[in-house]
Amino acid sequence: MIINSRFFNRSELIGFVTLAILLFLILPLSLDVFRLNLVAKYLTYAFVAIGLVLCWGYGGILSLGQGVFFGLGGYCMAMYLKLEASSVENTKIQSTPGIPDFMDWNQLTQLPFFWKPFHSFPLTLLAILLVPTFFSFIIGAAMFKRRVGGVYFAIITQAIAAILTILIVGQQGYTGGINGITDLRTLHAWDIRTDHAKFILYLVEVVLLFACIIAAQFVRLTKLGRILVAMREQEDRVRFSGYSVANFKIFAFCAAAVFAAIGGALFTLEVGFMSPSFVGIVPSIEMVIYTAVGGRMSIFGAVYGSLVVNFAKTALSESFPQLWLFGLGALFIAVVLAFPNGLSGIWQDYVQPRIDHLLAARVKKPGAGWSDNSLADGAPAE
C-alpha cells in the first residue's frame, strides 16, 4: 500500500491528504474570494518555507536573506506585468509613451536594456527560475568554497537583503523605488483583478505548491537528502569521505532560492504589486519563523506553519491592532521554548502516538486473521 511506499510514510500521507482536502475543498467552499485571496498570499510564503526545510532543516544552512530571492522572483513577474500594462495606448498621456509610469516620472526617455527581455512571457518564466539561481550560486560559491558557514553565513545573507533593499529604493527610475512596481492589471490580456481570476490563480498556486512539495520530498528521500543530513550533523566526516561539502551546500541554497522565487512570482500575481518591503531583513526573518513554527525538519509542517502564523497575524491585527505584535511574539517564544520542533514535533510526539495506540488496540490477536504487524504492514497477514 502507499502507506508503506518509499515516498510517503503513514504520517506524511496523512499530512498530504489533509492538506489536499483543506486547500482544494474546505477553504474554497467555506471562504469568500477576499479571504481566499488572503490564503493564497499566505501560501506564497509556504514556498519559501519548503525551501528552508531543505536548506536549513536538512542542510543545516540558516539563511536570513530568503526575502532576496522571494523579491527577485516577484520583481521578474512584476516587470512583465508592468510592461503589459504600459502599452503606448495606455500611456499616451506620458511624456514618453510605452514605458512604465515611474520611469516617465523620473525623466527616463527609453526602456532600460535589462527590462526588454520581460516583454516575453516565456523569458520571464525562465528569468524567475534562473536569476535567483544564478544569484544564489554566486553567493554560495563565494561563501561555501571558503568554508564560511554557521552564524557568519546567516549574517552575510541578512546583509545582502539589506543591500538589495537599499539598491531597489535608491534606483527609483528603474525599480519604482520605495513604492515598488504597482498597478498590475492583466496577464496576457486576462484581468487578474477579478474574483474569477483570483479563484483560478488560487487553484494554480495550490497545484504548484503540491508540485514543489513532491519535488522537495523526492530530494529528501534520495541519496542527496541523506548526504545533506550527514553534512548537517558531521560536516568534517562527510568531507573526509570524499564528498564536496561546498557543492552540496550550494545545491541546497540554490534549491531554496528557486522555491522562494516561485513564491515571489505568485505573490505578485495574487496581490498585484511588488515592493522592497518584501525583500529586506524583516520579511526574511519572518520566513524563517514560519519554518520554525511549522517544524524545520518537516515539509508539510512548513506549509502548515506558514498558514497558522499568517492566520494568527491577520486575526490578531484585526482584533487587537495595538497588541497583535506582542501576541505574535509570544507565539514564537512559546513554540521555541516549549516545542522546539514546531507543529510537526507536536504531531509526532503527542498526536501520532495516540493514533497508533488507538489503531493498535483494534488489531486482533494472532490466529484471528490478522498479525500483530498487520497495521504496520498495511495489509492482512497471509
Side-chain angles (χ1 to χ4, degrees):
M1 293 178 64
I2 192 171
I3 288 178
N4 291 302
S5 70
R6 296 179 60 186
F7 203 76
F8 285 127
N9 60 33
R10 183 172 58 195
S11 179
E12 292 168 343
L13 180 63
I14 292 174
F16 186 87
V17 173
T18 302
L19 187 64
I21 294 174
L22 177 67
L23 298 182
F24 280 112
L25 293 177
I26 296 177
L27 293 181
L29 294 176
S30 60
L31 298 179
D32 56 33
V33 174
F34 173 76
R35 293 292 177 181
L36 194 64
N37 189 44
L38 282 180
V39 175
K41 176 183 173 183
Y42 304 157
L43 289 176
T44 60
Y45 298 120
F47 288 86
V48 189
I50 292 172
L52 280 170
V53 169
L54 293 179
C55 181
W56 178 35
Y58 285 90
I61 307 165
L62 176 58
S63 171
L64 296 180
Q66 291 305 102
V68 170
F69 310 113
F70 185 85
L72 287 175
Y75 267 95
C76 286
M77 179 60 73
M79 291 165 74
Y80 172 79
L81 298 177
K82 190 62 176 179
L83 287 178
E84 185 171 338
S86 302
S87 63
V88 175
E89 182 179 353
N90 292 335
T91 58
K92 58 185 177 182
I93 64 172
Q94 295 179 179
S95 301
T96 306
I99 65 174
D101 47 13
F102 59 83
M103 294 184 183
D104 189 64
W105 300 337
N106 286 274
Q107 300 181 353
L108 270 67
T109 58
Q110 61 181 357
L111 192 69
F113 73 93
F114 59 87
W115 272 75
K116 293 181 180 179
F118 293 96
H119 279 296
S120 169
F121 187 64
L123 289 179
T124 298
L125 295 180
L126 282 176
I128 291 171
L129 299 176
L130 296 181
V131 171
T133 301
F134 176 76
F135 196 51
S136 60
F137 178 82
I138 295 298
I139 296 172
M143 297 295 105
F144 299 136
K145 292 294 185 179
R146 292 168 175 78
R147 300 190 182 181
V148 176
V151 66
Y152 300 104
F153 181 78
I155 293 174
I156 290 172
T157 55
Q158 198 173 52
I160 292 172
I163 292 170
L164 184 60
T165 303
I166 295 172
L167 180 64
I168 292 174
V169 173
Q171 299 298 318
Q172 182 172 333
Y174 301 100
T175 63
I178 190 66
N179 295 322
I181 301 177
T182 60
D183 195 25
L184 307 178
R185 309 168 187 172
T186 60
L187 176 65
H188 281 305
W190 179 51
D191 193 342
I192 61 175
R193 299 168 296 178
T194 64
D195 290 348
H196 177 71
K198 295 294 185 184
F199 185 78
I200 296 299
L201 287 174
Y202 169 82
L203 293 179
V204 171
E205 180 178 344
V206 172
V207 171
L208 288 176
L209 178 66
F210 277 95
C212 288
I213 289 174
I214 293 173
Q217 183 77 350
F218 176 78
V219 171
R220 187 182 74 85
L221 295 178
T222 59
K223 182 179 179 181
L224 173 59
R226 295 192 292 272
I227 292 176
L228 289 178
V229 174
M231 183 180 67
R232 181 196 65 199
E233 298 297 332
Q234 294 290 339
E235 181 177 321
D236 288 337
R237 288 190 178 184
V238 175
R239 182 178 291 110
F240 295 153
S241 298
Y243 293 101
S244 175
V245 170
N247 289 340
F248 284 107
K249 286 187 174 183
I250 291 171
F251 169 82
F253 188 51
C254 290
V258 170
F259 284 127
I262 294 173
L266 292 170
F267 178 89
T268 300
L269 285 171
E270 292 291 348
V271 303
F273 74 96
M274 175 54 67
S275 77
S277 60
F278 302 105
V279 177
I281 295 175
V282 173
S284 297
I285 293 177
E286 287 184 350
M287 293 167 187
V288 173
I289 292 173
Y290 303 151
T291 310
V293 170
R296 66 187 181 98
M297 293 295 295
S298 172
I299 295 171
F300 297 102
V303 178
Y304 287 116
S306 301
L307 289 172
V308 168
V309 173
N310 280 286
F311 267 122
K313 183 178 179 180
T314 299
L316 289 172
S317 62
E318 290 177 349
S319 304
F320 308 100
Q322 303 297 328
L323 301 175
W324 72 273
L325 281 174
F326 295 98
L328 200 59
L331 171 65
F332 298 152
I333 293 173
V335 168
V336 171
L337 293 180
F339 307 105
N341 293 322
L343 297 175
S344 64
I346 296 175
W347 172 269
Q348 293 173 1
D349 295 338
Y350 299 98
V351 180
Q352 188 65 45
R354 292 179 181 272
I355 295 176
D356 292 340
H357 178 73
L358 292 174
L359 293 177
R362 299 178 60 184
V363 178
K364 295 181 180 181
K365 294 181 180 180
W370 294 81
S371 70
D372 287 335
N373 295 325
S374 60
L375 181 65
D377 295 336
E382 296 182 359

